[in-house]
Amino acid sequence: ITVTDVNEAPIITSNGGGSTGSISFAENATSTVITVTSSDQDGTSTASYSIIGGADQSDFSINSSSGAITFNVTPNYESPHDADTGNNYIVIVEVSDGDNTDSQTITITVINANDPPVVTANGSLSYTENGSAAVIDNTIAISDNADTQLTGATVTISSNLTTGDVLALSTQFGISGSYNSSTGVLTVSGTATLANYQTVLKTITFNSTSEDPTVTNTNRTITWVVTDANSDGVGAASSSGVTSTITIT
């Protein structure tokens, strides 16, 4: 009896193996989505990987040697581009040993990540000793592609804080402020829309009660940070700090 070797088909082993699989992938990530792996009883064949179908196959690329799958365009939960715009991307992958194949349909669910708000500040203030309180920066702008409200902010004299420096705001839209003269931090609180916060931050003022406000330095740096209201349910996020400059004469 002569036993003849038969070329066994490769078998996809990743994602639990089988004909279907599913994974989750965070929006805005640029890493490999999944690496397709396989086994082959013959042990001598070189596996080759490809994408052969699926409603969203055009959204992906695969490394034919390593099996690594990546998005062609970084996924955005708030702006999905899968076939049904539901953040569930379907792709069919195949492994081949040159003669035989195995395939798997993978559903890749993009999950919402915590997108922080963004603040811009482009203004500056020239303040004269013994002058009245003056608006620091009326160019403040706030955006957030994942949230429509904010719950707080901090406005900080982050460099050259000097005794007598004062930051202040007038309460409006349910937004109020509390200033700590020891730390130079104005803590802003109250849940309100981005637009309302933008309006309030544009009215925040600086003044000095000191008879020598330039004793430390003629400049002050003001750092602005806002925190969103977590309306997307993935955790509150704070913006990166941006700065405005005050020059004192």
Side-chain angles (χ1 to χ4, degrees):
I1 300 173
T2 301
V3 177
T4 303
D5 189 19
V6 175
N7 187 4
E8 304 289 346
I11 298 173
I12 292 177
T13 56
S14 51
N15 228 349
S19 61
T20 61
S22 60
I23 61 168
S24 296
F25 190 74
E27 68 164 327
N28 303 322
T30 57
S31 58
T32 297
V33 177
I34 187 174
T35 297
V36 181
T37 58
S38 62
S39 64
D40 194 327
Q41 293 182 27
D42 296 313
T44 59
S45 301
T46 300
S48 177
Y49 300 95
S50 60
I51 293 173
I52 62 169
D56 304 296
Q57 61 177 310
S58 62
D59 291 312
F60 299 92
S61 295
I62 190 169
N63 185 300
S64 61
S65 299
S66 69
I69 296 177
T70 54
F71 271 97
N72 292 330
V73 177
T74 302
N76 184 340
Y77 182 87
E78 287 74 32
S79 182
H81 47 88
D82 55 313
D84 63 1
T85 64
N87 280 304
N88 294 305
Y89 295 77
I90 299 173
V91 61
I92 302 173
V93 297
E94 181 182 83
V95 60
S96 172
D97 64 4
D99 293 312
N100 299 306
T101 62
D102 187 30
S103 64
Q104 185 180 72
T105 300
I106 305 174
T107 300
I108 301 163
T109 299
V110 171
I111 57 176
N112 200 6
N114 195 1
D115 294 323
V118 176
V119 183
T120 59
N122 296 304
S124 60
L125 168 65
S126 294
Y127 178 80
T128 303
E129 181 180 342
N130 296 322
S132 302
V135 169
I136 299 168
D137 191 337
N138 63 6
T139 71
I140 297 293
I142 306 170
S143 61
D144 192 333
N145 66 7
D147 218 321
T148 59
Q149 292 185 314
L150 301 177
T151 58
T154 57
V155 185
T156 306
I157 302 174
S158 52
S159 69
N160 305 321
L161 174 65
T162 302
T163 299
D165 289 352
V166 179
L167 300 178
L169 67 77
S170 297
T171 299
Q172 54 183 317
F173 307 118
I175 302 169
S176 60
S178 175
Y179 180 64
N180 185 324
S181 60
S182 298
T183 61
V185 177
L186 174 65
T187 301
V188 183
S189 58
T191 300
T193 65
L194 303 182
N196 286 345
Y197 257 89
Q198 184 170 287
T199 297
V200 169
L201 295 188
K202 285 181 176 181
T203 66
I204 290 176
T205 60
F206 170 86
N207 73 289
S208 175
T209 61
S210 172
E211 289 301 319
D212 191 6
T214 61
V215 63
T216 302
N217 198 286
T218 58
N219 294 321
R220 306 286 191 272
T221 300
I222 307 298
T223 299
W224 311 79
V225 176
V226 301
T227 301
D228 68 25
N230 186 30
S231 62
D232 52 6
V234 294
S238 295
S239 67
S240 298
V242 296
T243 59
S244 304
T245 301
I246 300 173
T247 302
I248 303 174
T249 56

